[in-house]
Amino acid sequence: MSLLNIPTFAGLTVNGVYKGTRVQQGKPNQQGQAMQTLFAGIAVKAVDAYGAQTEETFEVVISQNLITQGIPAKLHQLEGTEVSLPVWGRVWVGAKSSGVTYYLANTVTEIFK
């Protein structure tokens, strides 16, 4: 699939080479069940402080809803190709740190129509 066939999304997108998915095990809750989070990785080119080009992996969470719709299997077909994926961010604040977690937007389904 080439970039020309990918729909244009409003809002935030991540552009780069799709690397695949990985599962991260969470800490067990009070009932002893550990949550699993599925991440999609996109290789993004960047320039470091010295002007050298580098590659970083930008990870986005794939929601349970998108997993149920079979999006990880569909994304697997795009491994190694240039993609533009819609994302949205959720800001979080903890006791010792803060940050933004990015999620794959539901509009990603537009790619596979």
Side-chain angles (χ1 to χ4, degrees):
M1 176 178 283
S2 71
L3 266 179
L4 298 175
N5 296 332
I6 295 176
T8 302
F9 298 104
L12 291 175
T13 60
V14 177
N15 304 312
V17 175
Y18 186 70
K19 293 180 76 170
T21 58
R22 73 175 182 89
V23 176
Q24 179 175 316
Q25 291 280 22
K27 295 180 183 177
N29 61 16
Q30 293 176 346
Q31 290 76 30
Q33 297 178 339
M35 294 284 296
Q36 291 184 341
T37 304
L38 184 62
F39 290 93
I42 301 97
V44 178
K45 296 203 184 302
V47 177
D48 69 15
Y50 301 96
Q53 192 163 17
T54 63
E55 181 179 285
E56 297 180 18
T57 301
F58 189 89
E59 289 190 312
V60 296
V61 176
I62 302 175
S63 70
Q64 189 60 48
N65 179 43
L66 291 175
I67 292 170
T68 303
Q69 292 181 50
I71 293 301
K74 292 175 181 177
L75 285 172
H76 179 72
Q77 299 170 3
L78 301 177
E79 264 187 49
T81 63
E82 189 82 20
V83 295
S84 179
L85 298 178
V87 299
W88 61 276
R90 175 180 285 163
V91 177
W92 56 269
V93 177
K96 297 181 181 180
S97 62
S98 61
V100 179
T101 300
Y102 290 94
Y103 295 84
L104 192 58
N106 288 336
T107 54
V108 72
T109 57
E110 300 285 324
I111 295 173
F112 304 105
K113 286 188 176 180

